[in-house]
Structures are given as C-alpha cells and as structure tokens.
Amino acid sequence: QLLRELDWLATTGYPILVGTSRKGFLGNILANAGRDSVPCERDPSTAATVALAIAGGASVVRVHNVGHALQAARTADAIVRAS
C-alpha cells in the first residue's frame, strides 16, 4: 500500500527513502504467484519496487544488489523525469 500511495507521501516535500530490497513481502507476493523464493533470489522483484518507488517520487532507494537496482533506477528516472 505504501508503494501504491507513495506519490501522495511525496507531496509533503520531504525526501523519501525506500528500502524494499529482498524483503519478506516480496517473498509473499512471489509465493502467492506460485514461485517460492529465498531472499537472495528476489533481486528482480526488488528492481520492480525500485522502479515503482522512483515513479512514486522516492529520492533514495536502499538495495543489496546495486548493479541490478542501478539499471532499474536509471531507466525509471529517465522515463519519469523526462522533459
């Protein structure tokens, strides 16, 4: 719910830090889709949440696998903030 409503939180004007990397809720989402996972297998899901966080107005993201997340972050940022 926080990721879905992050754009509203961003209206406060304060910088937003999002730390969803490999979290249990990602494991629950994957399990509900029939794909159990251990935390180290959740980097693609983390990349999805990084992109959503940036689209919602996050200023900073905290991740374990910087390489995967950096590509997702740069792509999302280029799309969302394009002039």
Side-chain angles (χ1 to χ4, degrees), residues 36-57:
D36 288 332
S37 68
V38 294
C40 65
E41 297 174 339
R42 298 180 191 152
D43 290 334
S45 296
T46 296
T49 62
V50 164
L52 290 169
I54 290 170

Side-chain angles (χ1 to χ4, degrees), residues 17-74:
L17 167 95
V18 174
T20 56
S21 187
R22 300 180 180 176
K23 294 292 185 260
F25 83 96
L26 298 174
N28 292 337
I29 290 170
L30 292 169
N32 288 338
R35 170 78 168 82
D36 288 332
S37 68
V38 294
C40 65
E41 297 174 339
R42 298 180 191 152
D43 290 334
S45 296
T46 296
T49 62
V50 164
L52 290 169
I54 290 170
S59 304
V60 180
V61 292
R62 181 222 166 265
V63 297
H64 289 91
N65 188 325
V66 175
H68 284 135
L70 184 59
Q71 185 174 358
R74 285 182 174 161

